[in-house]
Amino acid sequence: MADKTLIKVAVEILIEAEPYQVFNALTTGTAIWWGIPYLQRKDACDLIMEPKIGGRFYERWTLDKHDNKGALHATVVAIDPPHLLRLQGSFGMTTRAAWGTATIELKQAGKHTNVQFSYHAFGELDDIIEEEYARGWYDLLGRLKFFVEEGSAEGIKHDPSLSLLD
């Protein structure tokens, strides 16, 4: 296995929904469709995206909002609802010197939204990490699609009050 310093992942999918519905699921409904094994700890109880410049994307390890236990995955570095979301951070690679950028662009395509996703990371990487992250991003975007189109998901949090399909 050869060491790498850069990995790139690109995924493009169509989701049968308006861009604003997909964007809302990406930003305010993340914990509903994002879950194990894509968390720092299996006992994480929430995943939060603050949809603003400098906003954090992080998981909480306790229900006590005054307790700061958790892990920061990324920071929002660009946002243009409902067309663009760009995050930068470790995305779970906290035991390595690695940093990544995830860009999600949403474009209307008839009754669908074309989701163009790219992830570029650099640092202490290898072929196994590249394969795991490629497989993970494909899976997560598939979970997003299923959530938006079908209204159900297997994330770490269930919130029936969030109706993204209306």
Side-chain angles (χ1 to χ4, degrees), residues 20-42:
Y20 79 89
Q21 292 171 300
V22 177
F23 193 86
N24 286 346
L26 280 166
T27 57
T28 61
T30 311
I32 298 170
W33 55 270
W34 186 308
I36 294 172
Y38 310 110
L39 302 166
Q40 287 287 308
R41 289 189 6 189
K42 291 179 183 179

Side-chain angles (χ1 to χ4, degrees), residues 40-124:
Q40 287 287 308
R41 289 189 6 189
K42 291 179 183 179
D43 64 343
C45 58
D46 203 357
L47 190 64
I48 299 159
M49 168 92 59
E50 299 170 338
K52 62 183 181 179
I53 292 293
R56 299 168 299 165
F57 176 48
Y58 64 100
E59 68 185 59
R60 294 187 62 81
W61 297 340
T62 176
L63 292 173
D64 180 354
K65 296 199 186 281
H66 301 290
D67 192 336
N68 292 321
K69 294 178 186 170
L72 179 65
H73 291 278
T75 302
V76 176
V77 296
I79 187 167
D80 183 13
H83 306 290
L84 172 70
L85 179 63
R86 182 170 295 124
L87 304 159
Q88 289 183 337
S90 65
F91 291 96
M93 287 191 269
T94 57
T95 61
R96 295 174 177 259
W99 195 255
T101 299
T103 300
I104 305 158
E105 295 181 82
L106 308 175
K107 296 178 181 166
Q108 186 78 45
K111 294 182 179 182
H112 294 80
T113 296
N114 182 326
V115 179
Q116 296 176 339
F117 173 87
S118 68
Y119 176 71
H120 296 191
F122 66 91
E124 206 178 332

Side-chain angles (χ1 to χ4, degrees), residues 15-34 113 143-153 157-166:
I15 297 179
E16 191 174 343
E18 297 290 324
Y20 79 89
Q21 292 171 300
V22 177
F23 193 86
N24 286 346
L26 280 166
T27 57
T28 61
T30 311
I32 298 170
W33 55 270
W34 186 308
T113 296
R143 290 178 184 201
L144 171 67
K145 176 181 173 69
F146 188 75
F147 172 54
V148 173
E149 291 181 353
E150 303 296 327
S152 61
K157 188 174 182 182
H158 176 70
D159 188 345
S161 69
L162 288 177
S163 177
L164 300 172
L165 302 176
D166 295 332

